[in-house]
Amino acid sequence: MYHERAAEETLDSMTHKITIETAALELPPLPISEIGYLQVPHKNKYGKDYPPVIEDQPTYPGGKR
């Protein structure tokens, strides 16, 4: 089981083995807790942190001040 904002321990505790017969089976929705989720900063395409934003610089190097 996987959920991007759930802790691994939470998902492990929700794991159950089931047997499905040929008859139609409807499973109820599973509420998944996001407690323990830590959002990490997004990295650039090289896996590095973005440089800090300096407020007094133009948006791009060729821009006017």
Side-chain angles (χ1 to χ4, degrees), residues 13-64:
S13 70
M14 298 176 73
T15 302
H16 297 284
K17 189 173 187 173
I18 59 171
T19 303
I20 300 175
E21 299 176 8
T22 56
L25 177 66
E26 211 171 299
L27 297 174
L30 298 172
I32 299 176
S33 172
E34 294 182 2
I35 293 175
Y37 172 70
L38 299 174
Q39 186 172 1
V40 294
H42 177 75
K43 304 282 186 182
N44 68 15
K45 66 181 182 180
Y46 303 108
K48 309 257 185 205
D49 290 328
Y50 286 99
V53 176
I54 301 172
E55 297 297 328
D56 62 344
Q57 286 188 341
T59 306
Y60 61 96
K64 296 180 181 179

